[in-house]
Amino acid sequence: DGTTSLVAASDVTLDLNGDGTTSITINQGVVDALVENNQIIKTDNGLVLLSARALDTLTRSAVNNTGVIEATSLTEKGGRIILEGDDIRLSETSEIDASGATGGGEVLIGGDWQGSGDMHQATTVTMDSGATIDANATDNGDGGKIVLWSDINNTDSVTSAHGTINAKAGPNGGDGGRIETSGYVIRTRGVSGSTRALNGEDGL
């Protein structure tokens, strides 16, 4: 139930909350900010945050995942996984999983649902063929929420989705989840996804 954060910036504030969670505020970015995961990050039913913030509007930050990120739960709802930066890439070996027994969690790549909330919005989000994102209910519960987002108000913004994305309901009941891929320009080739429910309503 903890928090694992990889943050690239020059000035960061950590707020240790009374409930055991940690809030992170990036006060100032850095030139050539890069966060890269090549191995395994795992926090059961918790939060995984990969965040890179550029120094100013003239520089760009990057987040690259070629490894495995898990915030799963065998008994509860899946956790949250957030990747934020200007340029985000999920390579062909990338595996992201926020599934849980009683419901799928949240996976936010580049922004939140329809650009809501206060996440830093990406300029490019690229999901390579072979990459996977799952936020499924594995027993009885609803599928989770998965967003691949780049700033729809920026004419340079491109979201490319070529992998597999699932937010399925549990096999023993529940409704399908939600999947969004948005950007000023959308590129999809060979992408597959499902918000299917075997014993409930399909998601969207």
Side-chain angles (χ1 to χ4, degrees):
D1 295 332
T3 299
T4 300
S5 302
L6 276 65
V7 180
S10 63
D11 186 351
V12 178
T13 298
L14 302 179
D15 185 5
L16 304 179
N17 301 317
D19 60 0
T21 61
T22 303
S23 299
I24 298 174
T25 303
I26 298 178
N27 305 312
Q28 185 173 353
V30 64
V31 175
D32 297 329
L34 170 66
V35 169
E36 189 166 34
N37 173 48
N38 300 314
Q39 302 296 326
I40 297 177
I41 301 173
K42 183 175 181 180
T43 175
D44 294 338
N45 196 35
L47 167 66
V48 178
L49 170 66
L50 274 60
S51 180
R53 194 65 54 85
L55 180 62
D56 50 41
T57 58
L58 300 178
T59 58
R60 298 277 281 267
S61 62
V63 175
N64 297 327
N65 186 62
T66 63
V68 177
I69 302 175
E70 291 185 358
T72 59
S73 177
L74 296 175
T75 58
E76 300 178 34
K77 184 177 177 180
R80 302 181 73 216
I81 298 172
I82 299 172
L83 276 61
E84 60 176 2
D86 296 311
D87 301 315
I88 301 173
R89 177 175 288 276
L90 310 179
S91 79
E92 62 184 7
T93 59
S94 173
E95 298 178 18
I96 295 177
D97 194 351
S99 299
T102 61
E106 289 187 342
V107 178
L108 307 179
I109 311 293
D112 206 336
W113 189 263
Q114 297 186 340
S116 61
D118 57 1
M119 270 187 71
H120 178 75
Q121 295 189 18
T123 303
T124 62
V125 170
T126 304
M127 182 184 188
D128 290 341
S129 177
T132 61
I133 303 175
D134 292 298
N136 302 314
T138 58
D139 185 8
N140 189 326
D142 298 338
K145 177 174 74 172
I146 300 173
V147 178
L148 273 69
W149 173 277
S150 59
D151 186 358
I152 62 170
N153 297 308
N154 183 347
T155 57
D156 294 328
S157 155
V158 179
T159 296
S160 302
H162 309 302
T164 303
I165 307 170
N166 293 306
K168 295 183 285 190
N172 297 313
D175 297 331
R178 300 187 294 168
I179 297 173
E180 177 182 9
T181 57
S182 293
Y184 190 87
V185 174
I186 301 290
R187 295 176 181 160
T188 58
R189 183 185 67 250
V191 64
S192 63
S194 175
T195 57
R196 186 178 178 191
L198 297 177
N199 298 292
E201 298 292 328
D202 288 342
L204 56 97

